[in-house]
mmCIF file with all atom_site columns, all heavy atoms in Angstrom:
data_model
loop_
_atom_site.group_PDB
_atom_site.id
_atom_site.type_symbol
_atom_site.label_atom_id
_atom_site.label_alt_id
_atom_site.label_comp_id
_atom_site.label_asym_id
_atom_site.label_entity_id
_atom_site.label_seq_id
_atom_site.pdbx_PDB_ins_code
_atom_site.Cartn_x
_atom_site.Cartn_y
_atom_site.Cartn_z
_atom_site.occupancy
_atom_site.B_iso_or_equiv
_atom_site.pdbx_formal_charge
_atom_site.auth_seq_id
_atom_site.auth_comp_id
_atom_site.auth_asym_id
_atom_site.auth_atom_id
_atom_site.pdbx_PDB_model_num
ATOM 1   N N   . SER A 1 95  ? 12.732 -8.934  56.923 1.00 0.00 ? 190 SER A N   1
ATOM 2   C CA  . SER A 1 95  ? 12.149 -9.016  55.588 1.00 0.00 ? 190 SER A CA  1
ATOM 3   C C   . SER A 1 95  ? 11.340 -10.302 55.474 1.00 0.00 ? 190 SER A C   1
ATOM 4   O O   . SER A 1 95  ? 11.477 -11.239 56.267 1.00 0.00 ? 190 SER A O   1
ATOM 5   C CB  . SER A 1 95  ? 13.241 -8.996  54.511 1.00 0.00 ? 190 SER A CB  1
ATOM 6   O OG  . SER A 1 95  ? 14.011 -10.199 54.558 1.00 0.00 ? 190 SER A OG  1
ATOM 7   N N   . GLN A 1 96  ? 10.482 -10.290 54.460 1.00 0.00 ? 191 GLN A N   1
ATOM 8   C CA  . GLN A 1 96  ? 9.706  -11.469 54.149 1.00 0.00 ? 191 GLN A CA  1
ATOM 9   C C   . GLN A 1 96  ? 9.837  -11.704 52.662 1.00 0.00 ? 191 GLN A C   1
ATOM 10  O O   . GLN A 1 96  ? 9.446  -10.836 51.874 1.00 0.00 ? 191 GLN A O   1
ATOM 11  C CB  . GLN A 1 96  ? 8.237  -11.268 54.544 1.00 0.00 ? 191 GLN A CB  1
ATOM 12  C CG  . GLN A 1 96  ? 7.362  -12.490 54.341 1.00 0.00 ? 191 GLN A CG  1
ATOM 13  C CD  . GLN A 1 96  ? 7.674  -13.613 55.319 1.00 0.00 ? 191 GLN A CD  1
ATOM 14  O OE1 . GLN A 1 96  ? 8.801  -13.779 55.763 1.00 0.00 ? 191 GLN A OE1 1
ATOM 15  N NE2 . GLN A 1 96  ? 6.684  -14.382 55.662 1.00 0.00 ? 191 GLN A NE2 1
ATOM 16  N N   . GLU A 1 97  ? 10.415 -12.795 52.268 1.00 0.00 ? 192 GLU A N   1
ATOM 17  C CA  . GLU A 1 97  ? 10.626 -13.080 50.856 1.00 0.00 ? 192 GLU A CA  1
ATOM 18  C C   . GLU A 1 97  ? 9.295  -13.149 50.135 1.00 0.00 ? 192 GLU A C   1
ATOM 19  O O   . GLU A 1 97  ? 8.367  -13.796 50.591 1.00 0.00 ? 192 GLU A O   1
ATOM 20  C CB  . GLU A 1 97  ? 11.366 -14.400 50.691 1.00 0.00 ? 192 GLU A CB  1
ATOM 21  C CG  . GLU A 1 97  ? 11.833 -14.641 49.269 1.00 0.00 ? 192 GLU A CG  1
ATOM 22  C CD  . GLU A 1 97  ? 12.808 -13.571 48.785 1.00 0.00 ? 192 GLU A CD  1
ATOM 23  O OE1 . GLU A 1 97  ? 13.893 -13.481 49.360 1.00 0.00 ? 192 GLU A OE1 1
ATOM 24  O OE2 . GLU A 1 97  ? 12.468 -12.846 47.828 1.00 0.00 ? 192 GLU A OE2 1
ATOM 25  N N   . ASP A 1 98  ? 9.222  -12.431 49.039 1.00 0.00 ? 193 ASP A N   1
ATOM 26  C CA  . ASP A 1 98  ? 7.961  -12.366 48.310 1.00 0.00 ? 193 ASP A CA  1
ATOM 27  C C   . ASP A 1 98  ? 8.233  -12.257 46.817 1.00 0.00 ? 193 ASP A C   1
ATOM 28  O O   . ASP A 1 98  ? 7.825  -11.318 46.161 1.00 0.00 ? 193 ASP A O   1
ATOM 29  C CB  . ASP A 1 98  ? 7.141  -11.162 48.812 1.00 0.00 ? 193 ASP A CB  1
ATOM 30  C CG  . ASP A 1 98  ? 5.754  -11.129 48.188 1.00 0.00 ? 193 ASP A CG  1
ATOM 31  O OD1 . ASP A 1 98  ? 5.295  -12.170 47.683 1.00 0.00 ? 193 ASP A OD1 1
ATOM 32  O OD2 . ASP A 1 98  ? 5.138  -10.048 48.174 1.00 0.00 ? 193 ASP A OD2 1
ATOM 33  N N   . ARG A 1 99  ? 8.981  -13.220 46.289 1.00 0.00 ? 194 ARG A N   1
ATOM 34  C CA  . ARG A 1 99  ? 9.304  -13.313 44.875 1.00 0.00 ? 194 ARG A CA  1
ATOM 35  C C   . ARG A 1 99  ? 9.826  -12.003 44.308 1.00 0.00 ? 194 ARG A C   1
ATOM 36  O O   . ARG A 1 99  ? 9.371  -11.528 43.274 1.00 0.00 ? 194 ARG A O   1
ATOM 37  C CB  . ARG A 1 99  ? 8.084  -13.806 44.086 1.00 0.00 ? 194 ARG A CB  1
ATOM 38  C CG  . ARG A 1 99  ? 7.772  -15.260 44.327 1.00 0.00 ? 194 ARG A CG  1
ATOM 39  C CD  . ARG A 1 99  ? 6.469  -15.682 43.669 1.00 0.00 ? 194 ARG A CD  1
ATOM 40  N NE  . ARG A 1 99  ? 5.326  -15.055 44.317 1.00 0.00 ? 194 ARG A NE  1
ATOM 41  C CZ  . ARG A 1 99  ? 4.056  -15.325 43.987 1.00 0.00 ? 194 ARG A CZ  1
ATOM 42  N NH1 . ARG A 1 99  ? 3.800  -16.168 43.023 1.00 0.00 ? 194 ARG A NH1 1
ATOM 43  N NH2 . ARG A 1 99  ? 3.073  -14.728 44.615 1.00 0.00 ? 194 ARG A NH2 1
ATOM 44  N N   . GLY A 1 100 ? 10.766 -11.427 45.021 1.00 0.00 ? 195 GLY A N   1
ATOM 45  C CA  . GLY A 1 100 ? 11.438 -10.243 44.513 1.00 0.00 ? 195 GLY A CA  1
ATOM 46  C C   . GLY A 1 100 ? 10.734 -8.942  44.785 1.00 0.00 ? 195 GLY A C   1
ATOM 47  O O   . GLY A 1 100 ? 11.222 -7.884  44.403 1.00 0.00 ? 195 GLY A O   1
ATOM 48  N N   . ARG A 1 101 ? 9.574  -9.008  45.437 1.00 0.00 ? 196 ARG A N   1
ATOM 49  C CA  . ARG A 1 101 ? 8.854  -7.759  45.649 1.00 0.00 ? 196 ARG A CA  1
ATOM 50  C C   . ARG A 1 101 ? 9.191  -7.115  46.987 1.00 0.00 ? 196 ARG A C   1
ATOM 51  O O   . ARG A 1 101 ? 8.934  -5.939  47.190 1.00 0.00 ? 196 ARG A O   1
ATOM 52  C CB  . ARG A 1 101 ? 7.353  -8.022  45.588 1.00 0.00 ? 196 ARG A CB  1
ATOM 53  C CG  . ARG A 1 101 ? 6.851  -8.328  44.177 1.00 0.00 ? 196 ARG A CG  1
ATOM 54  C CD  . ARG A 1 101 ? 5.339  -8.256  44.127 1.00 0.00 ? 196 ARG A CD  1
ATOM 55  N NE  . ARG A 1 101 ? 4.727  -9.380  44.824 1.00 0.00 ? 196 ARG A NE  1
ATOM 56  C CZ  . ARG A 1 101 ? 4.308  -10.479 44.206 1.00 0.00 ? 196 ARG A CZ  1
ATOM 57  N NH1 . ARG A 1 101 ? 4.457  -10.608 42.911 1.00 0.00 ? 196 ARG A NH1 1
ATOM 58  N NH2 . ARG A 1 101 ? 3.752  -11.464 44.887 1.00 0.00 ? 196 ARG A NH2 1
ATOM 59  N N   . SER A 1 102 ? 9.748  -7.869  47.901 1.00 0.00 ? 197 SER A N   1
ATOM 60  C CA  . SER A 1 102 ? 9.960  -7.314  49.240 1.00 0.00 ? 197 SER A CA  1
ATOM 61  C C   . SER A 1 102 ? 11.386 -6.797  49.368 1.00 0.00 ? 197 SER A C   1
ATOM 62  O O   . SER A 1 102 ? 12.220 -6.982  48.484 1.00 0.00 ? 197 SER A O   1
ATOM 63  C CB  . SER A 1 102 ? 9.696  -8.374  50.294 1.00 0.00 ? 197 SER A CB  1
ATOM 64  O OG  . SER A 1 102 ? 10.676 -9.386  50.209 1.00 0.00 ? 197 SER A OG  1
ATOM 65  N N   . SER A 1 103 ? 11.642 -6.141  50.475 1.00 0.00 ? 198 SER A N   1
ATOM 66  C CA  . SER A 1 103 ? 12.952 -5.610  50.783 1.00 0.00 ? 198 SER A CA  1
ATOM 67  C C   . SER A 1 103 ? 13.177 -5.701  52.276 1.00 0.00 ? 198 SER A C   1
ATOM 68  O O   . SER A 1 103 ? 12.256 -6.025  53.030 1.00 0.00 ? 198 SER A O   1
ATOM 69  C CB  . SER A 1 103 ? 13.047 -4.136  50.364 1.00 0.00 ? 198 SER A CB  1
ATOM 70  O OG  . SER A 1 103 ? 12.713 -3.963  49.027 1.00 0.00 ? 198 SER A OG  1
ATOM 71  N N   . SER A 1 104 ? 14.381 -5.415  52.676 1.00 0.00 ? 199 SER A N   1
ATOM 72  C CA  . SER A 1 104 ? 14.676 -5.378  54.098 1.00 0.00 ? 199 SER A CA  1
ATOM 73  C C   . SER A 1 104 ? 14.275 -4.038  54.684 1.00 0.00 ? 199 SER A C   1
ATOM 74  O O   . SER A 1 104 ? 14.548 -2.985  54.099 1.00 0.00 ? 199 SER A O   1
ATOM 75  C CB  . SER A 1 104 ? 16.173 -5.606  54.327 1.00 0.00 ? 199 SER A CB  1
ATOM 76  O OG  . SER A 1 104 ? 16.521 -6.950  54.116 1.00 0.00 ? 199 SER A OG  1
ATOM 77  N N   . PHE A 1 105 ? 13.637 -4.085  55.842 1.00 0.00 ? 200 PHE A N   1
ATOM 78  C CA  . PHE A 1 105 ? 13.259 -2.883  56.583 1.00 0.00 ? 200 PHE A CA  1
ATOM 79  C C   . PHE A 1 105 ? 14.156 -2.787  57.818 1.00 0.00 ? 200 PHE A C   1
ATOM 80  O O   . PHE A 1 105 ? 14.301 -3.762  58.542 1.00 0.00 ? 200 PHE A O   1
ATOM 81  C CB  . PHE A 1 105 ? 11.784 -2.959  57.002 1.00 0.00 ? 200 PHE A CB  1
ATOM 82  C CG  . PHE A 1 105 ? 10.846 -2.931  55.834 1.00 0.00 ? 200 PHE A CG  1
ATOM 83  C CD1 . PHE A 1 105 ? 10.524 -4.096  55.152 1.00 0.00 ? 200 PHE A CD1 1
ATOM 84  C CD2 . PHE A 1 105 ? 10.287 -1.747  55.407 1.00 0.00 ? 200 PHE A CD2 1
ATOM 85  C CE1 . PHE A 1 105 ? 9.664  -4.085  54.069 1.00 0.00 ? 200 PHE A CE1 1
ATOM 86  C CE2 . PHE A 1 105 ? 9.413  -1.715  54.333 1.00 0.00 ? 200 PHE A CE2 1
ATOM 87  C CZ  . PHE A 1 105 ? 9.107  -2.885  53.652 1.00 0.00 ? 200 PHE A CZ  1
ATOM 88  N N   . PHE A 1 106 ? 14.708 -1.610  58.009 1.00 0.00 ? 201 PHE A N   1
ATOM 89  C CA  . PHE A 1 106 ? 15.695 -1.432  59.065 1.00 0.00 ? 201 PHE A CA  1
ATOM 90  C C   . PHE A 1 106 ? 15.114 -0.690  60.268 1.00 0.00 ? 201 PHE A C   1
ATOM 91  O O   . PHE A 1 106 ? 14.247 0.187   60.118 1.00 0.00 ? 201 PHE A O   1
ATOM 92  C CB  . PHE A 1 106 ? 16.892 -0.639  58.545 1.00 0.00 ? 201 PHE A CB  1
ATOM 93  C CG  . PHE A 1 106 ? 17.832 -1.446  57.720 1.00 0.00 ? 201 PHE A CG  1
ATOM 94  C CD1 . PHE A 1 106 ? 17.528 -1.780  56.403 1.00 0.00 ? 201 PHE A CD1 1
ATOM 95  C CD2 . PHE A 1 106 ? 19.025 -1.904  58.260 1.00 0.00 ? 201 PHE A CD2 1
ATOM 96  C CE1 . PHE A 1 106 ? 18.387 -2.544  55.651 1.00 0.00 ? 201 PHE A CE1 1
ATOM 97  C CE2 . PHE A 1 106 ? 19.897 -2.664  57.503 1.00 0.00 ? 201 PHE A CE2 1
ATOM 98  C CZ  . PHE A 1 106 ? 19.578 -2.982  56.197 1.00 0.00 ? 201 PHE A CZ  1
ATOM 99  N N   . GLY A 1 107 ? 15.653 -1.036  61.433 1.00 0.00 ? 202 GLY A N   1
ATOM 100 C CA  . GLY A 1 107 ? 15.366 -0.260  62.627 1.00 0.00 ? 202 GLY A CA  1
ATOM 101 C C   . GLY A 1 107 ? 16.269 0.956   62.700 1.00 0.00 ? 202 GLY A C   1
ATOM 102 O O   . GLY A 1 107 ? 17.111 1.175   61.825 1.00 0.00 ? 202 GLY A O   1
#
Side-chain angles (χ1 to χ4, degrees):
Chain A
S190 68
Q191 184 70 329
E192 190 62 64
D193 186 19
R194 288 173 292 185
R196 289 193 288 263
S197 67
S198 305
S199 286
F200 294 85
F201 282 77

